[in-house]
Amino acid sequence: MLEVKNVAKSFNLKNLDKGKFSVIRDACFNVNSGECVALIGNSGCGKSTLMRMIYGNYVCAEGQIYIDKENILDLKAIEMSILRKQKMGYVSQFLRVLPRVSTIDLVMEPLLDQFESRARAKDIAETLLSRLNLSSQLWHLSPLTFSGGEQQRVNIAIGFSKDYKLLLLDEPTASLDRENKKIVMDMISEKKEKGSAILGIFHDKEVRDKVCDREIDVSNFSAS
Amino acid sequence: MEQILKAKAINKKFGDVYACNNLSIELYTGEVVGIVGESGSGKSTLLNCLSGSLVPDGGNITYLDRDNNWLDLLSLPEPRKRNLLRTEWAFVHQNPRDGLRMAVSAGGNIGERLMAIGYRNYSQIRAEATEWIEKVEIDAIRLDDKPSIFSGGMQQRLQIAKNLITKPRLIFMDEPTGGLDVSVQARLLDLIRSLVRELGLSVIIVTHDLAVARFMANRLIVMKNGKIVETGLTDQVLDDPQHSYTQLLVSSILKV
Amino acid sequence: MSNSEEDFNFAYLDEQTKRMIRRALIKAICIPGYQVPFASREMPMPYGWGTGGVQVTAACLQETDVLKVIDQGSDDTTNAVSIRKFFERVAGVKTTENTGKASVIQTRHRIPEQVLSEDQILVYQVPIPEPLRFLEPRETETRVMHALEEYGLMHVKLYEDISINGEISTAYAYPVKVNDRYIMDPSPTPKFDNPKMNFCPAIQLFGAGREQRIYAVPPYTKVISLDFEDYPFEASRAEKTCEICGATNTYLDEVVIDDKGTRMFSCSDSDYCNSQKS
């Protein structure tokens, strides 16, 4: 499903002297459908950077990244944003949403993008939020006022509302309690069974052992 | 994936200064493109050239109309151009006063485009105006009030209703939330976003506010001194800017 | 015509002015409802007293003409009397109060009740010729709107009437479409008179002195009042009877007749009223 080939990444801060940093070089790996793969390695070794390149959030200047046999580096911006809507979910550590938009509307948005009816989208969103133990009192509030753990669960609900072919998870369980962590692990397993290819960063070893089929050590691709 | 608007090598000079220097831009159906840059970068001039309110000194602009014909906008006869502006296009101004008739009631403002394209049944016009004023979240009892007694946010929502009633396909927006309180801004952006999705609109939005650009646009065009310095997926341009100017711009945002 | 130059220069205006106004009139007749700009001259009366009408009348008058002047339908109001006297003095033309006997009728605010004939000219005094003015103040823009036949805005005005008053409350200067093309302000005549403009056998000329515009409706031209399908045009009048002549089909004035505020209704067209009485 996902194939990363000879990918390298450097940042060039042009307003600084010596602002060029190489982070990754020669990254090669793949993730199959129905498989969950963990990126591991020390903090700063480029796990999130790699993940962001796959999502198209960071520019990838070298190598190839194939999603569903399509090299995303050849895609126009509009094609990439369509590919994201159709095939790729991304749960980041941070919640970044428009203020004053209610939680339920945020979770429904990706579904409406795919022309689901409002009623069905609402149904799916409510089921997810209940499952993630978010009190229904909160559904009509903006998540920007929520606690860290609640925000993270909203983020997960947004990313899990559809059955994406590829799911990118950046520390999805970092600020969750045991009970909710368990729910999220179940959800990941279910997505695997439904055939999603999942690539994740999980600092929590218990989670890795439970849901991941393989580990890829990103420090092997480290440029330094 | 189909284009709806293509502009090639647009030039526009004011005196000796290029406001648009050899700019090319393509817009796809359903795409929201943000044009960002500081004051004087030429972004509004580009928008005005694309929307026909300014005539560029050179270049070529074509638009795919509802009947699937590519129209050469710079040689299009004036009546057809004005007809496009009333039917298939919309322009949302930063200052709602530029887009509304302040002495005409909210309903009259919303209904004007319908009457312009030949609606002659009062009840029908009124019914559609009522539907649209509610769609932009203004209480329908305000239909007969003049926009001069509306708040800034309501005026802006009224301007949007007035523009969208004829179901346009292409919308130009110039700083649509520019003069509004931040509290009002977020609701308005959300409204525009859902209308864009619901109606499948293609949008070009000019803003100097990168946060607005992030939430509204699929793709971003960064302008400086009349030139495009960078373009790409919005979050990519903002999170991994490649050009030194964009890097400077992104690193200059105040965080609350 | 024995002395053509003398004939041509007849009636107050100098030769150049007369020529200029006649050219504007011909153009106006050729493009029914289109506002032709003209270099309006100073007249020996203030703007708003009919300077446009006076110039048009002077440009039309010939020695054999018989002139009638009415103001609000009446021959004996100040404005009508002074303009009639003016032309008696500077042109020496015959004047009349009898609608049927007049060949040129200058009017402010009314069209005579008696049906006009092919050998008559009706000259309207116009304060503001641009029907779109109050909605779109830019003259550059309204000219483009006329040129491109973009008349949606005119219906916005009628929409506003209905939404505020429950009906089209515009009672005078009610906009019309001339010859299926130009939207025209019929001058501040009551809308009761609008149907008289449609296929009128007489030539109708409009002069706006301060605004420097002339426009015209040739004989037998279609003149349609704008409306909505569900709020059709109505040529309304006060539902009363003239207390002088007993007419029930004329446009009436409401007149206060004593210090106690007693009112009476009577025909605004004084000549018509007199003719009915006798």
Side-chain angles (χ1 to χ4, degrees):
Chain A
M1 182 63 215
L2 169 71
E3 189 177 3
V4 174
K5 259 185 161 171
N6 307 110
V7 162
K9 175 70 187 169
S10 58
F11 291 99
N12 189 354
L13 304 179
K14 293 177 176 162
N15 297 302
L16 294 177
D17 277 344
K18 297 178 190 159
K20 189 159 179 166
F21 306 94
S22 280
V23 182
I24 292 169
R25 83 191 149 156
D26 243 356
C28 291
F29 65 90
N30 55 29
V31 182
N32 300 319
S33 298
E35 183 182 40
C36 179
V37 173
L39 295 177
I40 58 164
N42 298 333
S43 187
C45 75
K47 300 185 294 294
S48 288
T49 299
L50 201 50
M51 188 108 85
R52 282 164 173 249
M53 282 196 286
I54 295 165
Y55 191 61
N57 179 225
Y58 279 2
V59 175
C60 177
E62 268 178 69
Q64 296 103 45
I65 298 171
Y66 294 94
I67 291 172
D68 232 359
K69 301 194 173 63
E70 192 169 28
N71 185 358
I72 62 166
L73 307 183
D74 293 340
L75 297 181
K76 292 200 178 88
I78 177 74
E79 293 166 328
M80 189 63 192
S81 66
I82 289 170
L83 184 142
R84 280 180 179 179
K85 279 181 186 168
Q86 291 176 343
K87 298 184 181 169
M88 188 160 36
Y90 178 52
V91 178
S92 79
Q93 291 165 269
F94 311 103
L95 183 72
R96 202 165 211 169
V97 295
L98 200 58
R100 302 187 67 183
V101 179
S102 72
T103 300
I104 185 94
D105 282 337
L106 289 168
V107 180
M108 284 164 66
E109 196 173 301
L111 295 159
L112 295 174
D113 270 340
Q114 287 306 104
F115 309 110
E116 291 282 2
S117 73
R118 277 201 81 79
R120 192 172 141 69
K122 189 155 179 279
D123 205 40
I124 295 172
E126 287 180 355
T127 311
L128 260 171
L129 290 170
S130 316
R131 186 169 181 195
L132 287 159
N133 289 317
L134 272 161
S135 152
S136 59
Q137 286 175 316
L138 298 178
W139 294 355
H140 295 281
L141 303 176
S142 165
L144 291 176
T145 53
F146 292 2
S147 73
E150 286 164 340
Q151 289 197 355
Q152 179 129 44
R153 278 177 278 156
V154 173
N155 235 349
I156 291 167
I158 295 171
F160 278 73
S161 61
K162 289 188 352 193
D163 291 327
Y164 292 109
K165 288 188 170 181
L166 176 61
L167 202 48
L168 305 171
L169 308 174
D170 193 345
E171 303 260 24
T173 58
S175 42
L176 299 186
D177 57 34
R178 278 201 72 77
E179 189 194 349
N180 284 314
K181 193 154 64 177
K182 165 108 184 24
I183 292 164
V184 173
M185 288 192 295
D186 289 345
M187 287 169 62
I188 295 173
S189 303
E190 283 164 26
K191 288 287 177 201
K192 261 167 62 177
E193 273 162 37
K194 282 187 173 171
S196 292
I198 300 171
L199 181 67
I201 300 168
F202 310 93
H203 278 182
D204 191 327
K205 187 158 185 328
E206 184 199 339
V207 177
R208 279 209 304 272
D209 292 344
K210 191 86 185 278
V211 300
C212 294
D213 305 294
R214 280 190 289 137
E215 289 179 355
I216 291 164
D217 190 346
V218 178
S219 47
N220 291 337
F221 313 134
S222 179
S224 49
Chain B
M1 188 67 325
E2 194 156 26
Q3 287 147 319
I4 186 165
L5 187 74
K6 289 191 279 194
K8 278 204 191 96
I10 300 299
N11 279 308
K12 181 73 190 174
K13 267 172 125 175
F14 294 114
D16 290 336
V17 182
Y18 273 104
C20 295
N21 190 348
N22 206 23
L23 302 182
S24 294
I25 163 174
E26 288 177 339
L27 181 70
Y28 289 81
T29 311
E31 190 180 29
V32 180
V33 167
I35 304 178
V36 298
E38 59 199 9
S39 302
S41 60
K43 53 192 194 305
S44 291
T45 304
L46 175 59
L47 191 75
N48 289 333
C49 285
L50 294 174
S51 63
S53 40
L54 265 182
V55 179
D57 301 330
N60 183 316
I61 307 171
T62 50
Y63 164 73
L64 185 70
D65 76 357
R66 220 166 235 154
D67 306 322
N68 260 333
N69 301 313
W70 280 104
L71 305 178
D72 177 357
L73 293 181
L74 299 183
S75 66
L76 202 64
E78 187 71 13
R80 180 81 177 100
K81 199 146 88 181
R82 288 171 68 108
N83 180 271
L84 272 184
L85 269 167
R86 281 201 306 269
T87 54
E88 299 193 16
W89 291 12
F91 198 112
V92 176
H93 297 268
Q94 171 173 9
N95 187 344
R97 284 166 184 274
D98 294 338
L100 293 173
R101 294 186 194 280
M102 301 308 278
V104 169
S105 71
N109 266 290
I110 302 179
E112 182 180 342
R113 272 180 166 233
L114 294 181
M115 292 180 245
I117 58 172
Y119 278 56
R120 291 293 177 264
N121 187 300
Y122 175 82
S123 314
Q124 188 187 0
I125 293 163
R126 194 153 173 94
E128 291 202 24
T130 307
E131 184 190 327
W132 272 93
I133 203 168
E134 285 173 341
K135 219 170 216 171
V136 296
E137 297 164 10
I138 299 175
D139 195 328
I141 59 167
R142 307 298 301 270
L143 197 64
D144 294 332
D145 291 343
K146 302 252 192 303
S148 48
I149 58 167
F150 283 9
S151 70
M154 282 167 72
Q155 288 179 359
Q156 198 56 291
R157 276 178 276 156
L158 184 63
Q159 193 192 176
I160 288 166
K162 172 177 184 149
N163 270 288
L164 292 187
I165 192 163
T166 48
K167 305 224 165 52
R169 312 165 65 223
L170 173 58
I171 305 196
F172 301 97
M173 297 189 185
D174 191 0
E175 306 271 12
T177 59
L180 303 177
D181 288 343
V182 277
S183 57
V184 180
Q185 179 173 320
R187 290 291 314 146
L188 186 68
L189 290 176
D190 184 48
L191 172 72
I192 296 174
R193 254 159 64 120
S194 45
L195 289 172
V196 165
R197 180 171 54 225
E198 195 181 316
L199 304 171
L201 306 170
S202 311
V203 184
I204 298 182
I205 178 170
V206 159
T207 177
H208 66 270
D209 186 335
L210 295 181
V212 169
R214 182 186 284 274
F215 288 116
M216 296 299 296
N218 310 116
R219 182 157 63 93
L220 215 53
I221 289 172
V222 184
M223 283 187 66
K224 185 179 195 305
N225 296 338
K227 286 188 171 162
I228 293 175
V229 296
E230 184 163 356
T231 172
L233 278 173
T234 302
D235 57 293
Q236 184 188 77
V237 171
L238 295 178
D239 294 341
D240 188 15
Q242 303 296 303
H243 190 275
S244 60
Y245 174 70
T246 320
Q247 291 180 354
L248 190 69
L249 204 62
V250 169
S251 62
S252 309
I253 304 174
L254 296 175
K255 290 243 161 60
V256 183
Chain C
M1 303 237 170
S2 51
N3 186 333
S4 66
E5 196 170 311
E6 237 168 62
D7 287 346
F8 185 82
N9 288 335
F10 178 76
Y12 192 71
L13 299 177
D14 64 278
E15 182 175 336
Q16 293 301 326
T17 303
K18 194 155 197 171
R19 186 180 290 176
M20 177 268 295
I21 293 175
R22 285 185 161 202
R23 280 182 178 151
L25 286 170
I26 289 168
K27 184 168 180 182
I29 291 278
C30 292
I31 318 172
Y34 173 72
Q35 298 166 46
V36 182
F38 81 110
S40 176
R41 299 291 197 251
E42 292 281 347
M43 288 290 115
M45 60 188 70
Y47 287 127
W49 286 66
T51 55
V54 163
Q55 289 177 78
V56 171
T57 299
C60 293
L61 280 181
Q62 291 182 311
E63 267 177 283
T64 51
D65 274 319
V66 180
L67 178 68
K68 171 184 163 80
V69 183
I70 49 173
D71 175 7
Q72 303 273 15
S74 166
D75 294 89
D76 46 18
T77 50
T78 320
N79 198 208
V81 172
S82 61
I83 292 173
R84 192 165 60 230
K85 296 257 179 204
F86 173 75
F87 279 114
E88 277 172 4
R89 186 150 158 201
V90 301
V93 290
K94 270 192 233 148
T95 58
T96 180
E97 296 189 3
N98 186 323
T99 302
K101 289 188 177 146
S103 59
V104 176
I105 303 170
Q106 179 169 338
T107 177
R108 172 173 175 265
H109 291 198
R110 277 309 310 277
I111 298 174
E113 304 288 357
Q114 185 179 330
V115 176
L116 300 177
S117 62
E118 284 180 12
D119 49 8
Q120 290 182 308
I121 297 175
L122 185 59
V123 177
Y124 296 76
Q125 300 171 200
V126 181
I128 294 171
E130 179 49 71
L132 301 162
R133 171 76 50 86
F134 291 105
L135 295 153
E136 176 51 73
R138 291 168 295 178
E139 179 80 8
T140 47
E141 183 64 16
T142 53
R143 288 181 73 92
V144 173
M145 291 161 87
H146 281 295
L148 302 180
E149 228 180 322
E150 283 182 5
Y151 288 137
L153 200 52
M154 209 63 250
H155 273 86
V156 172
K157 164 91 172 63
L158 303 179
Y159 170 95
E160 292 289 277
D161 268 4
I162 302 172
S163 67
I164 294 164
N165 303 306
E167 59 178 358
I168 299 180
S169 56
T170 299
Y172 61 91
Y174 192 105
V176 293
K177 191 166 212 176
V178 180
N179 200 27
D180 294 323
R181 177 59 181 86
Y182 284 95
I183 295 233
M184 186 185 92
D185 184 333
S187 86
T189 50
K191 65 178 169 184
F192 174 77
D193 285 340
N194 273 20
K196 295 178 191 159
M197 306 178 81
N198 189 28
F199 284 95
C200 176
I203 295 178
Q204 303 175 73
L205 305 176
F206 299 78
R210 181 184 48 209
E211 300 270 337
Q212 309 191 313
R213 293 290 184 275
I214 282 172
Y215 51 102
V217 177
Y220 302 109
T221 302
K222 191 171 165 191
V223 178
I224 299 299
S225 305
L226 302 183
D227 60 4
F228 286 103
E229 292 160 8
D230 45 349
Y231 286 84
F233 171 80
E234 269 177 77
S236 55
R237 62 182 285 279
E239 295 292 332
K240 303 273 177 175
T241 305
C242 172
E243 289 173 36
I244 296 172
C245 73
T248 54
N249 57 347
T250 57
Y251 192 75
L252 301 175
D253 283 339
E254 187 178 13
V255 190
V256 177
I257 51 172
D258 62 20
D259 289 347
K260 289 179 220 145
T262 312
R263 284 144 203 270
M264 71 175 279
F265 285 88
S266 67
C267 293
S268 97
D269 185 336
S270 54
D271 173 57
Y272 183 82
C273 197
N274 289 334
S275 73
Q276 294 300 103
K277 244 184 341 183
S278 48

